[in-house]
């Protein structure tokens, strides 16, 4: 089959993944979409490797790397989501604004 | 003890000056030269001195008057004696510096130190608000003149390429520079000698001690302007415009001042305006541009120093004994002639002084004023308009002078034949008009320390007239005598009727003071508040705004920290895409 | 290698370190004694250095700070005839050398610094701010001395910048910790404004230095003086503007002067004396040392603007003084006016103007140092520097202090016969006859305005004397705490009084150094 087909599939999956990362509130959905993005990249790599065969099988090697890193990252991510749930009682990414920089309470600002 | 030491130093220094004058009399003119500093191609300063006839004359005047004043002050001044005597001695030294200087900057140093001493001495009675105000006004007006003086020195010095007085006038100079330079010097002279338009400081300087008025504001500092023009006479003669301006200023001043003297109600104020007027006569003589005129002006300076110094010292005795020199107060002692009988020496010497001032024949003022008129007449006969103007003004002033002299003499010492209380002369100022005559039993003549200078100066007021050799022009003499009589008669008749009409514009002294206040003082104070407000609100506002801007900017940037992870990621994605597009565009 | 010059800086730095190493319980007297001894040594050292500079040496013709050019002498090329030189390579990667040296322009300023620091330490023997910790105060004063002497003797641009910055933090500490004890917020604000504005100026100045390096290839002032950066446009002009702005903040020149009144009003007595007497000289010295010789054409382009701002400074400073109610702020604004005169003198680019600016620098340091000592004395006796609270009739209550204040005011307004006159007068003469490439009419107009500014100066000083010293003593009786001049004050102030009179009546000593013919 022409190379375009798997590439289009990868693009589609990647865009769905980006949408999911940026727009979904549930933290686990966030992680799932991120996985989708990583796997889309995998499809891309494998497709290019099949299309342009080189002696080192670069695409397939990189795909294996990505799978490994994805697995490690999902482990860490889920652990953080778990802690988020334990602390806040929900996994809503929008509502978790603990890093927000508050404007200082007016305590005689004289710099 | 310190006070005594200073008194000794003061009197000794003055006598030293007289000795110097005596030793230098008749010696050929000479200059000293010494090492100095040269900067660039123009500036040159060194301590150089010169002597000539003018120097000897001024040294004699300054020395004698200063000695008289120092001796008189021993009896007169009671508080802060040490500082007073020290400053008077410093003043004398500064005047000497002016007189013997051969470098324009050395002259300027003496000139301005005199102004500072005048300020400090007028403010000797700093408990009184009129003394404080008078001191500040004197210093500021003379300082304004001195700035012009400094600029004049620049113009002339750079124009002639020398700052040495002996060499000024020797080389060539561009005419407009000469005129500008001499006009600027004239500004300084006008300030220092209290001519119109800078004349209002001198009458207001009268709250100072009377010996100070005698020394500084009659004989020496105010005469320094006359001295300067006489010293630089060659330069001034070459600048005709300046001489014309000087003539106009002098004529206006002599009349204005004489009119103001006619309406003054305090002895010292009358004498102060009279000083302004007589100085103007000297300047008028100088403005003629002839050697006659210069000689006459200097002659008048000499006699004026004697009789005006005498008059101020007599006024000082009156102040000392009575406590006030206002007409309202003094005339209350006239019922039994207390002042005449109990202060006989003062009365006689004051009469001599007033006679000299008024130009009574035989006294010094008569001769010196006549010489000025004669010089003016000669110049007018040679076809000069200035000569005519000067002639007419001086004659008119002579009449007015006689008027206010007689007025002063009669009202202070003699009881008006009209009943007291009638016709309202001075009575509207006098809240105690209907009181009995005050107790005059405590009135005593001053100590011999105060009387000896009076007698010496009185002798001078008579004798100095003959110092120049008597060469009278009988027409002029007769003319001035007639004028003096014309001036004296109205004064006598008004006194006899017990009237002293004083027009409002004369009492307000032509409104100069209030005009200056509105034109200068008020705007400057407003500008001062503007400057402070500008600093606080505008410039300070910019500085505070910079600080606020920093705070606001950081507040703005803080808004980016939403705490929402997805916002951060969105920003990262958008940025990455943009960079990719950019890389693609730049790469292709 | 000049050991003496380096010692003049190393000894105070060492002494400061020793003072900080002393145990915390060290008394105020001990610290002040150490400070006095050290600064006394520095004073003696600077006198020796001065004598060494001016003694006749075989073969040397004339000792001028600036060398003669072959062309028309009304411009001022800037060859430096440096003395007591130290020139070693320091940071070769940045082309920075450790190049120190003095000449007749910097030597009087170094002596002035040494004298004022010595007098401040003497003063602290008996009179210290209520905040205590005199040990640290003296140490900071010595660090400031190191920084200032370093600035005056630096002959390398980056070294100059370095020493320029050294004085800032110590001064901030002095104002913040030992300043006006009634107004904590005010003195923090005053100190911070001072530091921030000056640092901004220095940053801008450093940019200018870098541009100069880009054009000329070196930071060394001696080399740059011999081969100035020519051209009045482009990079040279930008560099000149940057350097001028940077130094103008320090001078201070209107409108960048706003830090000065607050800093002076809130600083302690010794802080004000040093700030006014020494630190303000850094800006004008920088202009004379760097701007004029290194960028002559560019300076000629900006000179009219510099002169204009200076004249505005004279007038605005004098006007602001007339409306002041705080004694130290009034004297601070008078400094703004005096620095305006100095800026005008530098801008005229003529021998007289420059000599006048240099003379006025020295005179201002001495006279304003005396004025601030007196203001500090009055403030200590009345616990406030507000004129309305101090009252009037000081001639009756504190006659000697009143008399000295009058003397200092008369000196500061430029009375001939005292030190302030020569600077002012020469500056006006320089404005009358400015450098060849400058517009004469503008400068003459500015000269007239500056002359009127001199009258305004007299006005506000006389108003101060009238308000403070004169008055009816019945309404303002003496208070028990206000005693007249004490012995230490007399010892500290007498040298300044004597110098004022001496420099007024005998200007030849200094004027002969700056003949610029």
């Amino acid at each position: 089959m022409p190379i375009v087909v798997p590439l289009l599939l990868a693009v589609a999956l990647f865009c769905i993944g980006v949408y999911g990362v940026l727009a979904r509130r549930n933290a686990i959905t966030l992680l799932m979409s991120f996985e989708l993005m990583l796997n889309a990249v995998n499809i891309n790599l494998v497709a290019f490797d099949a299309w342009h065969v080189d002696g080192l099988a670069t695409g397939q090697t990189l795909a294996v790397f990505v799978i490994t890193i994805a697995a490690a990252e999902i482990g860490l991510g889920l652990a953080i989501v778990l802690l988020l749930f334990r602390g806040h009682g929900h996994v809503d990414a929008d509502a978790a604004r603990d890093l927000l920089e508050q404007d200082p309470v007016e305590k005689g600002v004289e710099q | 003890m310190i006070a005594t030491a200073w008194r000794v130093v003061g009197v000794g220094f003055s006598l030293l000056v007289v000795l110097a004058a005596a030793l230098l009399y008749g010696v050929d003119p000479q200059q000293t030269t010494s090492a100095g500093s040269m900067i660039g191609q123009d500036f040159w300063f060194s301590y150089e001195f010169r002597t000539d006839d003018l120097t000897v004359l001024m040294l004699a005047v300054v020395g004698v008057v200063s000695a008289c004043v120092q001796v008189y002050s021993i009896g007169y001044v009671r508080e802060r004696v040490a500082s007073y005597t020290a400053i008077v001695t410093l003043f004398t030294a500064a005047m000497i510096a002016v007189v013997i200087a051969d470098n324009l900057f050395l002259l300027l140093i003496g000139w301005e130190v005199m102004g500072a001493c005048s300020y400090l001495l007028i403010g000797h009675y700093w408990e009184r608000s009129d003394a404080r105000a008078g001191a500040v006004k004197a210093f500021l007006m003379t300082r304004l003149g001195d700035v012009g003086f400094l600029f004049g020195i620049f113009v002339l010095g750079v124009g002639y390429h020398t700052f040495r007085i002996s060499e000024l006038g020797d080389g060539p100079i561009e005419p407009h520079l000469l005129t500008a330079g001499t006009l600027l010097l004239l500004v300084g002279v006008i300030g220092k000698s209290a001519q119109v338009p800078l004349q209002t400081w001198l009458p207001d300087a009268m709250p100072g001690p009377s010996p100070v008025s005698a020394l500084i504001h009659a004989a020496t500092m105010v005469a320094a302007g006359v001295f300067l023009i006489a010293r630089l006479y060659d330069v001034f003669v070459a600048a005709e415009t300046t001489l014309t301006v000087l003539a106009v200023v002098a004529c206006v001043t002599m009349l204005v001042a004489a009119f103001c003297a006619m309406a003054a109600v305090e002895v010292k104020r009358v004498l102060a305006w009279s000083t302004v007027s007589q100085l103007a006569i000297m300047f008028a003589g100088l403005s003629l541009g002839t050697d006659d005129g210069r000689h006459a002006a200097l002659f008048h300076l000499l006699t004026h120093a004697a009789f005006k110094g005498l008059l101020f010292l007599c006024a000082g005795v009156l102040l000392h004994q009575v406590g006030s020199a206002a007409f309202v107060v003094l005339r209350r002692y006239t019922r039994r002639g207390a002042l005449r009988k109990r202060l006989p020496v003062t009365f006689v010497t004051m009469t001599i002084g007033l006679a000299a001032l008024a130009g009574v024949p035989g006294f010094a003022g008569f001769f010196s004023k006549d010489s000025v008129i004669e010089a003016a007449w000669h110049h007018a006969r040679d076809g000069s308009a200035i000569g005519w103007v000067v002639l007419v003004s001086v004659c008119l002033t002579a009449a007015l002078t006689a008027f206010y002299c007689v007025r002063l003499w009669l009202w202070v010492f003699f009881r008006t034949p009209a009943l007291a209380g009638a016709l309202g002369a001075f009575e509207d100022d006098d809240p105690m008009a209907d009181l009995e005559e005050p107790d005059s039993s405590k009135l005593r003549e001053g100590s011999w320390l105060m009387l000896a200078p009076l007698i010496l100066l009185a002798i001078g007021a008579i004798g100095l007239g003959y110092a120049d050799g008597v060469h009278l022009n009988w027409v002029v003499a007769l003319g001035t005598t007639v004028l003096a009589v014309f001036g004296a008669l109205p004064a006598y008749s008004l006194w006899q009727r017990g009237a002293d009409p004083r027009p409002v514009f004369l009492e307000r002294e032509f409104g100069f003071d209030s005009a200056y206040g509105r034109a200068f003082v008020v705007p400057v104070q407003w500008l001062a508040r503007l400057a402070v407000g500008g600093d606080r609100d505008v410039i300070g506002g910019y500085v505070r705004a910079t600080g606020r801007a920093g705070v606001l900017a950081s507040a703005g940037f803080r808004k980016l920290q939403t705490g929402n992870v997805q916002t951060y990621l969105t920003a990262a994605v958008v940025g990455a895409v943009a960079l990719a597009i950019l890389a693609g565009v730049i790469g292709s | 290698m000049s050991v003496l010059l380096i010692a003049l800086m190393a000894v105070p730095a060492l002494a400061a370190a020793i003072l900080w190493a002393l145990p915390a319980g060290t008394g105020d007297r001990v610290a002040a004694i150490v400070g006095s001894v050290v600064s006394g040594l520095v004073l003696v050292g600077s006198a020796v250095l001065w004598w060494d500079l001016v003694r006749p040496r075989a073969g040397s013709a004339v000792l001028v700070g600036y060398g003669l050019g072959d062309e028309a002498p009304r411009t001022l090329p800037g060859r430096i005839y440096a003395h007591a030189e130290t020139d070693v390579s320091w940071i070769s990667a940045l082309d920075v050398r450790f190049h120190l040296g003095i000449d007749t322009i910097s030597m009087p300023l170094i002596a002035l610094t040494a004298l004022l620091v010595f007098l401040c330490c003497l003063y602290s023997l008996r009179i210290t701010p209520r905040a205590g910790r005199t040990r640290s105060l003296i140490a900071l004063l010595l660090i400031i001395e190191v920084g200032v002497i370093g600035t005056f003797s630096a002959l390398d641009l980056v070294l100059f910048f370095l020493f320029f910055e050294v004085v800032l933090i110590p001064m901030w500490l002095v104002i913040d910790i030992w300043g006006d004890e009634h107004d904590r917020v005010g003195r923090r604000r005053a100190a911070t404004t001072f530091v921030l504005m000056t640092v901004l100026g220095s940053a801008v100045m450093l940019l200018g230095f870098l541009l100069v390096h880009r054009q000329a290839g070196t930071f060394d002032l001696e080399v740059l003086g011999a081969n100035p950066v020519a051209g009045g446009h482009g990079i040279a002009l930008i560099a000149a503007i940057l350097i001028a702005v940077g130094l103008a903040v320090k001078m201070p020149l209107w409108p960048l002067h706003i830090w000065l009144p607050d800093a002076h009003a809130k600083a302690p007595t010794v802080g004000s004396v040093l700030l006014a007497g020494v630190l303000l000289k850094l800006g004008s010295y920088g202009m004379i040392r760097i701007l004029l010789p290194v960028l002559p054409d560019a300076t000629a382009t900006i000179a009219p603007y510099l002169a204009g701002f200076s004249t505005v400074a004279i007038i605005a400073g004098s006007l602001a003084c007339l409306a002041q109610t705080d004694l130290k702020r009034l004297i601070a604004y008078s400094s703004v006016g005096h620095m305006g005169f100095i800026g005008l003198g530098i801008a005229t680019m003529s021998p007289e103007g420059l000599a006048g600016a240099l003379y006025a620098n020295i005179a201002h340091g001495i006279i304003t140092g005396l004025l601030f000592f007196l203001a500090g004395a009055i403030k200590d006796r009345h616990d406030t520097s507000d004129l309305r609270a101090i009252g009037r009739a000081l001639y009756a209550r504190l006659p000697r202090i009143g008399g000295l204040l009058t003397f200092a005011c008369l000196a500061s307004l430029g009375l001939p016969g005292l030190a302030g006159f020569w600077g002012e007068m020469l500056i006006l003469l320089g404005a009358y006859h400015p450098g060849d490439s400058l517009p004469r009419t503008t400068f003459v107009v500015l000269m007239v305005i500056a002359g009127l500014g001199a009258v305004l100066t007299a006005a506000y000083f006389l108003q101060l004397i009238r308000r403070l010293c004169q008055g009816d003593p019945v309404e303002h009786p003496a208070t028990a705490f206000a005693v007249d001049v004490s012995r230490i004050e007399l010892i500290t102030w007498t040298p300044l009084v004597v110098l004022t009179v001496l420099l007024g009546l005998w200007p030849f000593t200094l004027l002969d150094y700056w003949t610029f013919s």
Side-chain angles (χ1 to χ4, degrees):
Chain A
M1 70 179 97
I3 185 78
V4 176
V5 175
L7 291 184
L8 275 176
L9 176 62
V11 167
L13 285 176
F14 191 83
C15 291
I16 296 170
V18 169
Y19 165 73
V21 164
L22 296 183
R24 296 302 294 263
R25 270 179 299 157
N26 193 307
I28 297 182
T29 316
L30 226 61
L31 289 172
M32 283 161 52
S33 313
F34 189 64
E35 281 296 304
L36 205 54
M37 283 164 68
L38 287 172
N39 286 306
V41 169
N42 275 341
I43 295 177
N44 217 346
L45 285 168
V46 167
F48 271 111
D49 186 74
W51 175 68
H52 177 74
V53 183
D54 72 342
L56 290 174
T58 319
Q60 296 175 50
T61 321
L62 276 173
V64 172
F65 269 109
V66 171
I67 294 171
T68 317
I69 293 170
E73 170 262 325
I74 205 68
L76 273 174
L78 278 173
I80 294 174
V81 169
L82 208 60
L83 278 176
L84 186 68
F85 180 72
R86 288 208 187 132
H88 291 251
H90 63 83
V91 286
D92 193 336
D94 252 355
R97 289 180 184 251
D98 292 357
L99 290 174
L100 173 64
E101 182 77 31
Q102 299 270 0
D103 268 325
V105 179
E106 292 303 306
K107 43 178 170 74
V109 181
E110 278 295 356
Q111 280 103 10
Chain B
M1 197 196 65
I2 295 185
T4 321
W6 271 114
R7 280 172 168 158
V8 169
V9 168
V11 176
F13 185 67
S14 312
L15 292 177
L16 210 65
V17 173
V18 178
L19 186 65
L23 288 176
L24 285 170
Y25 181 72
V27 172
D28 285 335
Q30 43 189 267
Q31 296 106 272
T32 65
T33 46
S34 69
S37 281
M38 178 108 206
I39 295 185
Q41 288 187 325
D42 294 319
F43 173 76
W44 163 258
F45 172 72
S46 99
Y47 278 100
E48 298 168 314
F49 309 112
R50 60 171 294 164
T51 71
D52 60 1
D53 298 337
L54 183 58
T55 314
V56 172
L57 173 69
M58 293 303 296
L59 281 178
V61 168
V62 172
V64 170
V65 177
S66 166
C68 289
V69 161
Q70 291 273 19
V71 171
Y72 182 95
S73 304
I74 298 179
Y76 187 83
V77 176
R78 290 275 151 238
E79 60 260 304
R80 298 187 284 272
V81 174
S83 70
Y84 172 90
T85 317
I87 299 176
V88 173
T89 316
L90 178 65
F91 172 87
T92 314
M95 184 72 189
I96 303 302
V98 169
V99 163
I100 63 175
D102 199 27
N103 184 292
L104 280 170
F105 291 112
L106 183 57
L107 195 149
L108 183 66
I109 292 179
W111 186 270
E112 294 222 40
V113 171
M114 282 201 296
C117 292
S118 158
Y119 159 75
L120 291 171
L121 286 168
I122 298 172
H124 185 245
Y125 298 124
W126 42 259
E127 299 93 347
R128 298 168 45 179
S129 76
D130 52 354
R132 297 195 288 268
V136 171
K137 184 193 263 191
F139 191 82
L140 285 182
M141 285 186 118
T142 49
R143 183 102 174 124
L144 183 63
D146 291 341
V147 171
F149 193 72
L150 180 69
F151 291 158
I153 291 181
F154 287 166
V155 175
L156 285 181
V158 174
Y160 278 113
H161 295 297
T162 176
F163 282 97
R164 204 177 264 150
I165 296 179
S166 318
E167 291 171 10
L168 277 183
D170 284 347
I173 187 173
E174 295 176 44
H176 67 273
L177 279 183
L178 177 65
T179 314
T182 45
L183 277 175
L184 286 168
L185 283 183
L186 200 62
V187 170
V189 164
I190 288 176
K192 203 59 133 195
S193 300
Q195 304 294 292
V196 167
L198 293 174
Q199 86 283 14
T200 53
W201 69 265
L202 191 53
D204 284 344
M206 291 304 110
S210 298
V212 165
S213 306
L215 178 64
I216 297 183
H217 304 126
T220 45
M221 184 172 93
V222 292
V226 180
F227 161 79
L228 180 81
I229 298 185
R231 171 70 104 209
L232 295 175
Y233 208 52
D234 299 330
V235 177
F236 274 93
V237 165
E240 283 159 21
T241 326
T242 313
L243 285 183
T244 317
V245 171
L246 180 60
V248 170
V249 164
C251 296
V252 169
T253 307
M254 66 174 88
L255 292 170
V256 163
F259 278 122
C260 291
M262 287 162 59
V265 292
E266 200 235 337
V267 173
K268 287 184 77 175
R269 210 169 173 87
V270 173
L271 294 177
W273 280 118
S274 157
T275 306
V276 176
S277 182
Q278 298 299 307
L279 286 169
I281 293 181
M282 297 176 216
F283 283 120
L286 285 171
S287 72
L288 297 172
T290 59
D291 278 335
D292 275 352
R294 180 178 184 270
H295 187 87
L298 290 173
F299 187 25
H300 197 57
L301 191 155
L302 175 66
T303 59
H304 177 261
F307 61 71
K308 198 45 75 62
L310 169 65
L311 282 169
F312 270 112
L313 293 182
C314 294
V317 174
L318 290 175
L319 254 177
H320 205 236
Q321 296 300 325
V322 177
S324 160
F327 282 16
V328 283
V329 176
L330 289 173
R331 63 176 286 267
R332 293 215 300 276
Y333 291 84
T334 59
R335 181 174 303 181
R336 273 182 271 271
L339 288 176
R340 284 198 319 272
K341 296 197 185 107
R342 292 185 169 273
L343 309 172
V345 178
T346 310
F347 172 63
V348 169
T349 48
M350 195 153 188
T351 311
I352 294 176
L354 285 170
L357 175 56
V360 170
F363 292 87
F366 170 71
F367 292 103
S368 56
K369 216 175 294 191
D370 277 6
S371 64
V372 174
I373 295 180
E374 217 181 303
W377 191 20
H378 284 150
H379 199 54
R381 252 191 358 217
D382 293 340
S384 151
I386 291 188
W388 282 114
V389 172
V390 168
L391 181 64
V392 169
S393 308
V394 178
C395 290
L396 204 54
T397 311
L400 296 176
T401 308
F403 178 93
Y404 64 69
C405 286
V406 171
R407 171 177 176 259
L408 179 79
W409 190 60
L410 289 173
W411 279 107
V412 170
F413 290 113
F414 295 96
R415 176 126 157 87
T416 170
L419 292 169
L423 298 176
F426 307 120
E427 248 65 355
D428 40 353
D429 315 310
D430 184 0
M432 301 191 286
D434 50 355
L435 279 188
E436 284 297 317
E437 179 182 336
D439 175 22
S440 56
S441 59
K442 294 257 177 47
L443 283 183
R444 264 173 306 120
E445 190 60 90
S447 65
W448 69 268
L449 283 168
M450 289 166 72
L451 290 185
L454 291 184
I455 299 175
L456 182 64
L457 288 172
I459 297 175
I462 304 176
L464 282 173
Y466 306 95
D468 198 29
V470 183
H471 36 77
L472 269 189
N473 183 319
W474 292 107
V475 178
V476 171
L478 195 61
T480 46
T481 317
V482 166
L483 282 168
V485 170
F486 270 165
L489 281 177
Y492 177 76
S493 91
L494 281 173
W495 167 80
Q496 213 182 20
R497 287 182 287 137
D500 186 56
R502 297 188 298 279
V504 175
F505 71 93
L506 282 188
E507 277 204 308
R508 297 241 191 89
E509 289 159 3
F510 293 97
F512 271 102
D513 252 347
S514 52
Y516 285 155
R518 273 198 314 270
F520 295 114
V521 178
V522 171
V524 166
Q525 282 170 339
W526 181 81
L527 282 173
R529 282 195 299 275
L530 186 69
V532 171
D535 259 5
R536 191 185 54 232
D537 297 329
V538 177
I539 301 180
Y542 270 105
V543 170
R544 283 193 298 276
T546 318
R548 285 302 299 162
V551 172
L552 284 175
S554 64
F557 275 106
R558 228 180 286 121
K559 299 250 187 307
L560 288 177
Q561 299 278 60
T562 56
N564 185 349
V565 179
Q566 286 173 317
T567 323
Y568 300 157
L569 283 173
T570 315
V573 167
V574 167
V577 168
L579 278 174
I581 297 176
L582 210 62
V585 165
I586 292 181
S588 67
Chain C
M1 279 286 286
S2 166
V3 180
L4 185 52
L5 185 57
I6 297 186
L8 281 186
M9 288 185 273
V11 166
L14 217 64
I18 292 175
L19 274 175
W20 269 318
L22 288 176
T26 314
D28 294 348
R29 279 295 294 287
V30 173
I33 292 176
V34 170
S36 304
V37 167
V38 170
S39 54
L41 286 174
V42 172
L43 182 61
V44 168
S46 62
V48 169
L49 199 57
W50 197 338
W51 170 80
D52 192 43
L53 175 68
V54 296
R55 69 190 162 116
R57 230 164 294 134
S60 139
V62 99
L63 281 163
V64 290
Y66 281 98
L68 297 167
D70 294 323
E71 59 279 9
R74 293 205 67 81
T75 57
L76 300 158
R79 272 229 37 219
I80 299 178
Y81 294 100
H83 181 75
E85 253 188 295
T86 308
D87 191 2
V88 286
S89 177
W90 186 28
I91 311 175
S92 46
L94 292 174
D95 197 17
V96 173
R97 302 182 67 81
F98 190 79
H99 192 175
L100 298 173
I102 54 162
D103 65 354
T104 49
I105 292 182
S106 46
M107 193 63 234
L109 288 166
I110 294 179
L112 175 70
T113 312
L115 176 70
L116 283 176
V117 173
F118 176 59
L119 291 177
C120 285
C121 290
L122 271 185
Y123 193 76
S124 305
L125 274 174
R126 294 256 182 227
I127 305 172
T128 53
R130 228 172 274 167
R133 291 157 66 183
T134 309
R135 182 172 64 108
S136 301
L137 177 63
I138 302 284
L140 288 170
L141 290 185
L142 291 175
I143 299 285
I144 293 176
E145 184 176 29
V146 170
V148 171
I149 295 184
T151 315
F152 285 142
S153 51
L155 287 180
D156 180 285
L157 286 177
V158 174
L159 194 62
F160 178 92
F161 171 79
L162 222 112
F163 279 118
F164 203 74
E165 298 289 278
V166 163
V167 302
L168 291 184
I169 300 294
M171 204 67 220
W172 184 85
L173 287 168
V174 167
I175 299 178
D176 192 46
I177 302 180
W178 289 275
D180 185 1
E181 58 249 6
H182 300 294
D183 188 8
R184 222 199 88 234
V185 170
R187 60 176 203 256
R188 169 65 58 95
R189 189 202 310 226
T192 312
T193 315
F194 158 65
V195 163
L196 286 180
M197 281 188 79
T198 325
V199 164
L200 180 65
S202 312
V204 166
M205 183 178 76
L206 185 63
L207 265 177
F209 288 168
L210 294 176
L211 283 178
V212 166
H213 179 83
R214 185 170 178 272
Q215 285 295 100
T218 174
F219 281 121
D220 194 290
L221 275 171
E222 216 166 341
V223 173
L224 284 170
N227 318 304
V229 177
H233 311 283
I235 305 259
L237 181 62
I238 299 177
I241 293 176
L242 289 173
I243 298 178
V245 167
L247 290 167
V249 175
K250 193 69 166 192
M251 242 174 100
L253 199 60
W254 193 94
L256 300 165
H257 67 286
I258 197 70
W259 59 267
L260 188 69
D262 285 326
H264 269 130
K266 304 295 174 200
T269 309
V270 293
S272 295
V273 167
L274 279 187
L275 188 53
V278 168
L279 262 64
L280 294 188
K281 313 291 169 284
L282 296 177
S284 45
Y285 170 80
M287 283 197 186
I288 297 175
R289 180 62 90 202
I290 300 173
L291 205 55
L292 280 180
V294 175
L295 297 154
D297 300 324
T299 310
T301 315
I302 63 172
Y305 300 99
L306 200 59
F309 279 120
S310 303
T311 315
V312 173
I314 300 173
I315 302 290
S318 307
L319 284 175
C321 280
L322 279 170
Q324 289 300 320
T325 53
D326 182 298
L327 179 59
K328 292 182 86 164
R329 272 185 89 94
L330 192 149
I331 303 175
Y333 270 110
S334 87
S335 283
V336 173
H338 282 117
M339 287 300 155
F341 264 106
I342 293 175
L344 180 63
I346 297 174
T348 65
M349 294 180 72
S350 62
E352 300 91 3
L354 213 57
L358 288 167
Y359 206 97
N361 254 345
I362 309 284
H364 175 261
I366 297 173
I367 297 172
T368 313
L370 179 62
L371 271 172
F372 271 114
F373 267 129
L374 288 164
I378 295 176
K379 181 175 177 179
D380 286 339
R381 284 160 172 76
H382 295 94
D383 205 29
T384 173
S385 60
D386 191 334
L387 290 169
R388 298 165 293 197
I390 295 178
R392 303 185 68 178
L394 229 55
Y395 278 153
R397 301 186 274 146
L398 303 169
R400 296 222 176 91
I401 290 188
L404 279 171
L405 185 64
T406 307
F407 171 80
C409 288
L410 285 177
S412 191
L413 65 88
L415 190 73
L418 298 174
F421 166 65
W422 295 107
E424 244 178 59
M425 186 270 295
L426 282 170
I427 289 169
L428 290 176
L429 184 57
Y432 178 69
H433 204 167
D436 284 338
S437 44
L438 297 175
R440 178 106 188 261
T441 347
T442 319
F443 274 89
V444 171
V445 168
L446 291 176
M447 174 189 84
V448 172
I449 300 177
L452 292 175
V455 180
L456 277 178
T457 310
Y460 69 71
F461 272 123
L462 291 185
Q463 188 191 57
L464 174 68
I465 296 177
R466 183 172 169 184
R467 226 168 146 182
L468 200 53
C469 299
Q470 299 176 336
D472 192 355
V474 171
E475 297 169 20
H476 302 273
T479 55
F481 303 114
V483 270
D484 214 354
V485 181
S486 65
R487 200 172 44 168
I488 191 69
E489 285 170 337
L490 201 60
I491 294 175
T492 319
W493 298 344
T494 308
L496 295 174
V497 172
V498 167
L499 272 177
T500 307
V501 177
L502 220 61
L503 284 179
L505 291 178
W506 203 255
F508 310 111
T509 31
L510 287 181
L511 286 182
D512 282 337
Y513 292 157
W514 307 318
T515 47
F516 297 136
S517 50

